[in-house]
Amino acid sequence: MAMTKPSAAKEPVDTLLAWLSGVEGRALDEAALVAGLGGRLRAAGLPVDRLAALRWTLHPGVLAAAMSWTPDRPVQIYDREHGFEPPAAFAVGRLHDALVMCGALNLQGEALSLVAIEALRGDGLVEQVILPCAHADGPFRAIAFATAQRSGFIPAERAIFERVAPALAARLCAAGRRTG
């Protein structure tokens, strides 16, 4: 019986998961994890032009925070302060609905241009895949992958994101506990 070669998507997933769970991944803080994964996704040939992690906080003055990576730039950190009314970007809309229903959100075209969360916005982006995190008791609620590639993401690339996002969220939570 002839051996079949595993799918091309399996190799980058295995490599990325090994990095996240390995000594190097466990030693990094949140920003370095996001930057490291973003760079590794690109090195694996995935057209990721923005990687963002969204979290809700228990801080009395900050409702939510996000960190965003783009190639050739340091990770940017955004805080959404509490106000009299919950900020619409985090409290209502398609993103909130997707997170509550634990479903993926795929934004393209006009829907992508209406994104109100600064960490998710970017010039030239064509598609954004936002995946809820499985760790509902942890602070990280979603991981977002965006591309400027004209054709957007292909199904195999989305499948890689679905495998990697929960591991990144778990590692981010562990890094936050270590430093917070």
Side-chain angles (χ1 to χ4, degrees):
M1 182 169 194
M3 304 247 333
T4 58
K5 181 177 171 142
S7 73
K10 184 173 177 5
E11 292 173 23
V13 168
D14 291 345
T15 302
L16 294 167
L17 293 175
W19 173 76
L20 281 168
S21 64
V23 173
E24 184 181 357
R26 288 193 316 264
L28 298 175
D29 67 12
E30 295 171 341
L33 278 164
V34 170
L37 182 61
R40 280 170 174 72
L41 289 167
R42 298 255 320 175
L46 284 91
V48 176
D49 295 302
R50 179 171 295 266
L51 173 63
L54 305 172
R55 71 176 160 177
W56 275 231
T57 72
L58 296 176
H59 189 281
V62 179
L63 171 65
M67 58 187 70
S68 179
W69 168 89
T70 55
D72 304 322
R73 287 185 30 206
V75 170
Q76 295 181 289
I77 298 175
Y78 303 88
D79 289 334
R80 174 71 68 174
E81 294 180 0
H82 280 287
F84 181 69
E85 296 178 20
F90 284 93
V92 298
R94 290 181 64 193
L95 175 58
H96 179 265
D97 293 346
L99 296 177
V100 168
M101 299 302 290
C102 294
L105 182 60
N106 190 354
L107 301 175
Q108 296 176 337
E110 186 177 339
L112 186 56
S113 68
L114 297 175
V115 170
I117 300 170
E118 189 174 353
L120 300 180
R121 292 193 310 239
D123 292 335
L125 296 178
V126 171
E127 181 179 8
Q128 186 147 198
V129 175
I130 304 172
L131 300 169
C133 298
H135 303 287
D137 58 335
F140 284 91
R141 295 295 188 233
I143 306 295
F145 304 85
T147 187
Q149 181 172 282
R150 193 168 185 205
S151 59
F153 293 121
I154 62 172
E157 293 163 344
R158 287 187 203 100
I160 290 171
F161 303 150
E162 289 172 5
R163 290 276 318 278
V164 172
L168 175 61
R171 182 57 50 216
L172 287 167
C173 289
R177 282 192 298 272
R178 206 175 53 246
T179 60

